[in-house]
């Protein structure tokens, strides 16, 4: 029976992710304290909301150092939506804010020329040239699989090797998934992407 | 982005119901069962509308939302009788991803801004319920099409966008349930004027109707009668749309 620890940093609605994980047979533990985070063998950092609020939540609960530590030591960690964005160095949402700094790069607003913002709806996951999905949450995912996105800001990796998947939106390329060692980030919501999304959660929980 | 096909379920707990022009309700069956079937057929999102929220116990829809969220893993929007930030909080906690507001927003427009600021505009769908008037304009209604406001629907829709709405649901009260096509004139004008996602609702009877409204550049189409009365399925409608050259998720 696989298990995963969900990090609670006050940004509401863990339920969707919990429901999805439970549905695919994964046992879920919720962690708020730094000790619980450090003790975990596998973690998910969910989140919906503004970057600054997310960082404030993590800071207030003294979760920044533990999260950096678990990532550093190679414990599988996956950020979802805002959780993915928090992994980066900084974001320009409502002012410039520092992030966890686990993945080099920044988070910037999706340009409004020619597209509606937020980017909302289903989009196809593509694989950048030279990148492999093996040993990632996308191991079982066919290229071109649809996933559900809803966000106004996009991550911009500094190192192309960290870009696991992209999608096209109008004239723009959006980072759909990222990875750095055993740390992963999904910009879309796997818990809202139907059976394919559930498969990604299940796969992450077996890495 | 592919056009989103969104089955809409009117709920008079514990039943899925359907009316015409938002009245004259018939019981169709179990909402969760229908929701699951539509999700399996390829629905992109689901919408639950509590159509008697102000009259009956509002908690019953939260229970349905909870039950649904345990079994369906696509986005769920819930509307009907949402009056306060706490109402929204309860529904999101129960498993809704977005809420749909109308009546309270028309009574107190700043509610839109409060909701968007608290939960993010992506959570806030504002429904514009329209009835075409004899003089060729459209008026906005509240209370599931029952409350007259005399306000111009187009102007109100633009205001809702300004106030922070994340998406607009354009419901044609006079066309809904009739399966004779959408209110093309109103939707065409509004879809061009706003830069947030627009979902057309009211009048779908066949794939041609969907293709006609898709051509206006809407982002999603909400369907009820055509699915609940099994005139067609989500899969068949999507395949027909694809054949007409519209991008859909298949």
């Amino acid at each position: 029976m696989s298990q995963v620890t969900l990090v609670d940093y006050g940004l509401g609605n863990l339920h969707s992710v919990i429901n999805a994980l439970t549905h695919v047979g994964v046992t879920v533990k919720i962690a708020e304290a730094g000790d619980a985070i450090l003790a975990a063998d596998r973690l998910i950092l969910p989140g919906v909301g503004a970057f600054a609020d997310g960082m404030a939540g993590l800071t207030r609960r003294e979760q920044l150092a533990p999260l950096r530590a678990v990532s550093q030591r190679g414990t599988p960690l996956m950020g979802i939506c805002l959780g993915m964005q928090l992994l980066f160095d900084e974001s320009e949402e409502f002012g410039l804010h520092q992030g966890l700094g686990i993945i080099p790069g920044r988070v910037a607003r999706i340009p409004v020329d020619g597209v509606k913002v937020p980017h909302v709806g289903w989009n196809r996951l593509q694989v950048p040239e030279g990148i492999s999905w093996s040993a990632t949450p996308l191991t079982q995912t066919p290229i071109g699989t649809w996933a559900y996105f809803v966000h106004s800001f996009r991550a911009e990796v500094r190192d192309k090797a960290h870009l696991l998947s992209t999608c096209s939106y109008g004239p723009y390329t959006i980072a759909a998934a990222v990875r750095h060692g055993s740390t992963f980030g999904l910009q879309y919501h796997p818990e809202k992407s139907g059976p394919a999304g559930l498969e990604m959660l299940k796969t992450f929980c077996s890495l | 982005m592919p056009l989103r096909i969104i089955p809409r379920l009117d709920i008079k707990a514990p039943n899925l119901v359907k009316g015409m022009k938002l009245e004259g309700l018939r019981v169709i069956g179990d909402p969760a069962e229908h929701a699951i079937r539509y999700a399996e057929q390829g629905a992109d999102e689901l919408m639950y509308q509590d159509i008697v929220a102000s009259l009956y116990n509002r908690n019953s829809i939260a229970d349905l939302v909870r039950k649904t969220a345990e079994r369906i893993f696509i986005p769920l929007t819930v509307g009907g009788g949402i009056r306060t930030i706490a109402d929204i909080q309860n529904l999101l906690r129960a498993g809704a991803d977005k809420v749909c507001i109308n009546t309270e927003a028309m009574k107190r427009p700043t509610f839109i801004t409060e909701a968007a600021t608290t939960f993010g505009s992506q959570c806030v769908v504002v429904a514009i319920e329209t009835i075409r008037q004899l003089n060729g304009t459209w008026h906005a209604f509240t209370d599931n099409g029952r409350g007259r406001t005399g306000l111009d629907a187009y102007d109100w829709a633009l205001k809702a966008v300004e106030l922070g709405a994340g998406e607009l649901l354009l419901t044609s009260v006079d066309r809904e349930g009739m399966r004779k096509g959408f209110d093309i004139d109103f939707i065409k004008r509004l879809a061009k004027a706003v830069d947030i996602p627009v979902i057309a609702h009211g009048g779908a009877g066949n794939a041609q109707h969907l293709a006609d409204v898709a051509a206006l550049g809407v982002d999603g189409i909400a369907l009820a009668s055509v699915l609940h009365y099994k005139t067609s399925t989500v899969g068949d409608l999507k395949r027909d749309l694809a054949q007409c050259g519209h991008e859909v998720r298949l």
Side-chain angles (χ1 to χ4, degrees):
Chain A
M1 181 76 131
S2 17
Q3 187 178 262
V4 72
T5 299
L6 228 59
V7 180
D8 181 358
Y9 56 110
L11 250 66
N13 210 10
L14 299 177
H15 318 277
S16 300
V17 182
I18 294 173
N19 281 336
L21 290 162
T22 305
H23 191 80
V24 295
V26 177
T27 311
V28 181
K29 265 192 180 157
I30 315 275
E32 211 179 329
D35 294 345
I37 291 175
L38 289 169
D41 292 321
R42 185 180 293 119
L43 298 124
I44 288 180
L45 185 68
V48 170
F51 192 94
D53 294 337
M55 284 309 291
L58 292 174
T59 306
R60 194 166 29 244
R61 289 166 182 75
E62 300 180 321
Q63 296 165 327
L64 299 177
L67 284 169
R68 290 175 179 136
V70 300
S71 171
Q72 185 91 323
R73 77 183 187 207
T75 299
L77 166 65
M78 182 165 76
I80 295 174
C81 197
L82 175 64
M84 160 169 146
Q85 295 182 353
L86 294 171
L87 298 171
F88 286 83
D89 293 322
E90 63 181 25
S91 169
E92 62 181 43
E93 183 178 8
F94 298 139
L96 197 62
H97 299 278
Q98 297 306 298
L100 283 162
I102 290 173
I103 301 186
R106 61 192 311 270
V107 177
R109 191 163 245 291
I110 296 172
V112 296
D113 291 323
V115 293
K116 292 188 178 184
V117 178
H119 170 220
V120 50
W122 295 82
N123 209 332
R124 287 194 189 265
L125 300 177
Q126 305 300 342
V127 60
E129 179 129 15
I131 297 291
S132 165
W133 283 358
S134 93
T136 75
L138 299 176
T139 309
Q140 308 294 334
T141 303
I143 294 171
T145 290
W146 295 99
Y148 190 83
F149 291 79
V150 52
H151 62 119
S152 304
F153 287 76
R154 61 173 177 173
E156 292 167 355
V157 299
R158 191 147 58 239
D159 183 349
K160 284 210 168 75
H162 296 154
L163 192 54
L164 189 60
S165 173
T166 58
C167 63
S168 299
Y169 185 42
Y172 309 113
T173 299
I174 304 230
V178 293
R179 75 92 66 100
H180 182 22
S182 310
T183 296
F184 303 95
L186 305 181
Q187 178 61 74
Y188 53 90
H189 288 271
E191 75 282 13
K192 294 287 152 188
S193 298
L198 295 179
E199 189 58 58
M200 295 172 205
L201 289 171
K202 194 169 176 190
T203 302
F204 172 70
C205 293
S206 65
L207 289 178
Chain B
M1 297 287 276
L3 191 60
R4 287 178 267 152
I5 299 302
I6 308 173
R8 162 153 158 151
L9 289 81
D10 286 341
I11 311 290
K12 186 180 170 187
N15 295 311
L16 165 64
V17 296
K18 190 70 199 70
M20 282 189 182
K21 304 194 186 189
L22 294 180
E23 57 179 29
L25 306 173
R26 278 179 64 181
V27 172
I28 306 290
D30 177 56
E33 205 182 275
H34 280 76
I36 290 166
R37 185 168 352 116
Y38 298 146
E40 283 168 359
Q41 286 176 9
D44 296 300
E45 300 183 17
L46 289 168
M47 211 174 252
Y48 280 169
Q49 185 76 9
D50 183 344
I51 60 173
V52 289
S54 40
L55 303 176
Y56 296 117
N57 178 10
R58 208 172 300 142
N59 285 334
S60 45
I61 194 144
D63 289 339
L64 174 62
V65 170
R66 233 178 307 268
K67 192 167 124 187
T68 304
E70 282 168 10
R71 307 172 64 186
I72 293 173
F73 302 95
I74 58 175
L76 174 63
T77 303
V78 181
I82 296 174
R83 306 250 184 271
T84 65
I85 293 298
D87 288 340
I88 299 178
Q89 181 89 280
N90 289 337
L91 288 170
L92 296 180
R93 284 217 175 103
D97 297 286
K98 306 184 237 183
V99 293
C100 186
I101 61 180
N102 176 28
T103 303
E104 187 64 26
M106 292 202 81
K107 281 193 192 140
R108 206 170 48 91
T110 50
F111 183 49
I112 299 175
T113 315
E114 276 166 36
T117 312
T118 311
F119 303 103
S121 60
Q122 78 283 345
C123 275
V124 183
V125 179
V126 175
I128 313 288
E129 289 172 1
T130 66
I131 297 182
R132 188 172 190 153
Q133 304 300 299
L134 291 172
N135 64 3
T137 62
W138 284 262
H139 282 189
F141 283 71
T142 60
D143 241 317
N144 233 49
R146 291 179 213 114
R148 195 169 280 284
T149 67
L151 288 182
D152 182 83
Y154 180 80
D155 292 341
W156 164 240
L158 294 186
K159 180 121 199 271
V161 175
E162 233 178 276
L163 288 163
E167 292 183 298
L168 287 181
L169 174 72
L170 304 183
T171 297
S172 168
V173 179
D174 39 339
R175 292 198 151 252
E176 85 84 39
M178 306 306 289
R179 293 183 260 176
K180 292 200 181 123
F182 291 84
D183 192 336
I184 297 293
D185 295 334
F186 183 77
I187 297 170
K188 182 181 203 168
R189 193 177 166 216
L190 195 53
K192 277 198 216 151
V194 302
D195 53 15
I196 64 171
V198 166
I199 315 227
H201 173 223
N206 59 41
Q208 187 58 53
H209 296 148
L210 301 197
D212 291 340
V213 81
L216 305 179
V218 298
D219 301 89
I221 303 179
L223 311 170
S225 300
V226 69
L227 297 176
H228 305 331
Y229 291 116
K230 301 192 164 70
T231 306
S232 190
T233 65
V234 173
D236 285 343
L237 291 170
K238 279 190 165 190
R239 274 181 284 275
D240 289 338
L241 278 167
Q243 263 167 12
C244 294
H246 294 285
E247 194 193 3
V248 286
R249 176 181 73 107
L250 280 168

